[in-house]
Amino acid sequence: MVEPLAADMTVYFYAILFARYPEVRPMFPPGMDTQRGRLLRALLRIVDLVDDPESLVRFCGHLGRDHRKFGTLSAHFPAVGECLLASLARYAGPAWTAEIAAAWTKAYGAVAGVMISAAEEDAADRPAVWPATVVHRVSRGNGIAEITVRPHMPYAYAAGQYVSIETPWWPKQWRYYSPANAPREDGTLTFHVRAVPGGSVSSALVHQATVGQTIQLGPPMGDMVLDAADHSDLLCVAGGTGLAPIRALVEEVARRGGRHHVDLFLGARTGAELYGVDDMLRMAQRHHWLTIRGAVSHEFIPGIRGSLPEVLAEYGPWFQHDVYLSGPAPMVISAKETLTLSGTMPDRIHHDPFETPVLSLP
C-alpha cells in the first residue's frame, strides 16, 4: 500500500523523528537522500523475510552490530518505532487497521529486540569502529584506485565479507567495499574503489586519499565466505570491481592449501575495462587448481565474447559447484537465473545483498 508513496513517507518519517527527538539528528549525515532509500529497502527486506525467521534474525543481527558505529543506543529504538508506525499509518490510510497496527508493533518489537541484543553482545567483544591509516595507494585507470589501509587495532574478518568506510571529508557518510585480500599477517586490507558519478565517498577515496591519512572502518559483514561452500569445486564470477571479494576468496583457497578447484570468469563491456585480469592470470600460474577466463560483451577482440550469463551457459553446467557471484546487480541477477535454469540449486549460489541495507538510524 505505501510502496508507491515511499519517497514521501520516508521524508515524513525523518521529519517527525527529528521534530519529536531532536537529539538524534546529529547521528545522521547532512544529506538524507541516500538514507531514506536505505530505510525503505530495509523495511522491504524485513517483509520479505517474515516467513523465514532464521534469515530474519541473521539480517537484523547484522544491522544491530553495524549500527554501533553511529552511536546507536537501545533507548533510540522506541523513538524510531513510534515515528515509523505513525508514518505507516498516515500513508496506508484506511488500510491501517487495528490488526495491521498490532502486527507491525509486534514486528518492530522483534526487530528491535534482535538488533539490541546483537549490539550488546558485539560490544563485549570488539570496538564499534576501527581507525585505519592509508599505507599504500595506486591508480588502476578507469577511475579505479587500489587503497591499502592498516587498522590501528586488530581487525578480524573473513575473505568475501564487506566493510563500511567513512572518510574524513564526508563525516557520517558510510559506504560499503569488499577487501580484495584474505586476512594478512600484517593486518592490512586492500580495497578496489571505483569513483562513481555523484559518489561522494568513492570520489574522495579515489581522488583525495593519500598515504598517511586516516579513515574509519565499520565491522565486517556478509555471508559470502568460503565456509558456506559444501562442494570442492567452486565457480566464481566477477564483473568490474566485483573482483575484489572474489580475489579474496581465491587467496583464502590458497591459504587453506588449495583444497578446492576454482573456475573464475571475469567480465566487462570492453577489453580496457576487464579489470584485474593480469593479476589473476599470475595467480593461476602459481596455482594449478585455478582456471581463469575473461569475457568481453561489447567489443570484438580475441578471446571469449559475450555477457557473463551467456558465457556461463556455454561453459556449464555448474550444478556440482558452489557459486560465488560479485558485480553489478543486473549481472548477478541474470547469472543467477541462468545457473538456476541449468540445475544449480539456489542455496549453492552465494552473493552479497543487491542493496546493502541499513535500517532506521543511518
Side-chain angles (χ1 to χ4, degrees):
M1 291 296 295
V2 302
E3 189 172 4
L5 307 170
D8 292 338
M9 189 196 79
T10 51
V11 169
Y12 178 79
F13 163 75
Y14 283 110
I16 63 173
L17 176 65
F18 297 155
R20 297 179 186 180
Y21 302 95
E23 65 274 15
V24 306
R25 182 62 182 94
M27 300 172 65
F28 292 83
M32 292 293 295
D33 289 347
T34 299
Q35 178 58 33
R36 294 186 188 106
R38 286 176 173 171
L39 170 64
L40 176 65
R41 291 194 298 270
L43 290 174
L44 294 175
R45 181 66 173 157
I46 286 170
V47 172
D48 287 342
L49 293 175
V50 74
D51 293 320
D52 184 358
E54 182 179 344
S55 295
L56 179 60
V57 167
R58 183 169 61 250
F59 172 78
C60 295
H62 281 317
L63 291 180
R65 289 185 288 272
D66 193 47
H67 274 59
R68 292 184 56 223
K69 69 191 180 196
F70 306 115
T72 305
L73 303 174
S74 57
H76 294 135
F77 283 89
V80 170
E82 171 196 322
C83 296
L84 174 62
L85 295 179
S87 302
L88 289 168
R90 176 185 176 93
Y91 284 87
W96 189 258
T97 63
E99 183 181 14
I100 293 292
W104 269 97
T105 301
K106 183 178 180 180
Y108 181 81
V111 167
V114 172
M115 290 180 66
I116 291 169
S117 296
E120 290 175 346
E121 292 173 6
D122 196 58
D125 296 328
R126 58 183 185 178
V129 297
W130 288 257
T133 299
V134 177
V135 295
H136 185 68
R137 182 197 174 283
V138 60
S139 175
R140 293 299 186 189
N142 292 304
I144 298 173
E146 197 173 284
I147 298 172
T148 300
V149 303
R150 178 177 286 112
H152 299 181
M153 300 171 285
Y155 188 87
Y157 73 100
Q161 289 190 301
Y162 55 91
V163 176
S164 55
I165 294 179
E166 180 195 44
T167 71
W169 303 280
W170 295 93
K172 305 186 190 306
Q173 296 269 22
W174 294 82
R175 296 295 181 268
Y176 293 86
Y177 301 95
S178 297
N181 61 283
R184 298 168 175 153
E185 289 186 5
D186 67 359
T188 60
L189 299 88
T190 298
F191 297 95
H192 296 173
V193 182
R194 183 192 299 275
V196 298
S200 53
V201 175
S202 65
S203 294
L205 288 170
V206 171
H207 301 301
Q208 294 178 261
T210 59
V211 172
Q213 291 176 323
T214 299
I215 64 172
Q216 304 286 339
L217 306 180
M221 300 178 68
D223 302 313
M224 195 180 75
V225 297
L226 192 59
D227 288 340
D230 290 326
H231 294 301
S232 59
D233 290 336
L234 307 181
L235 169 64
C236 295
V237 184
T241 51
L243 175 61
I246 298 299
R247 189 188 188 286
L249 287 167
V250 171
E251 278 195 6
E252 184 64 18
V253 172
R255 281 207 329 158
R256 299 187 184 189
R259 295 194 297 269
H260 296 273
H261 179 81
V262 180
D263 283 280
L264 170 58
F265 287 82
L266 307 176
R269 290 168 53 87
T270 67
E273 296 173 351
L274 200 56
Y275 172 73
V277 65
D278 291 342
D279 185 32
M280 299 310 299
L281 287 171
R282 285 190 290 270
M283 293 181 70
Q285 291 173 351
R286 295 195 301 270
H287 304 299
H288 65 88
W289 42 263
L290 176 61
T291 302
I292 310 291
R293 298 181 181 93
V296 171
S297 60
H298 287 66
E299 185 180 26
F300 288 96
I301 60 174
I304 303 173
R305 187 172 188 276
S307 68
L308 282 172
E310 292 169 345
V311 173
L312 292 176
E314 178 182 348
Y315 280 83
W318 304 99
F319 59 86
Q320 294 183 327
H321 292 64
D322 271 279
V323 181
Y324 292 83
L325 305 175
S326 182
M331 182 279 287
V332 172
I333 293 170
S334 182
K336 188 173 184 179
E337 290 176 351
T338 297
L339 292 164
T340 302
L341 289 172
S342 64
T344 303
M345 297 300 293
D347 62 354
R348 295 286 179 264
I349 302 175
H350 314 283
H351 58 83
D352 285 334
F354 298 127
E355 297 283 359
T356 304
V358 178
L359 179 63
S360 303
L361 296 169

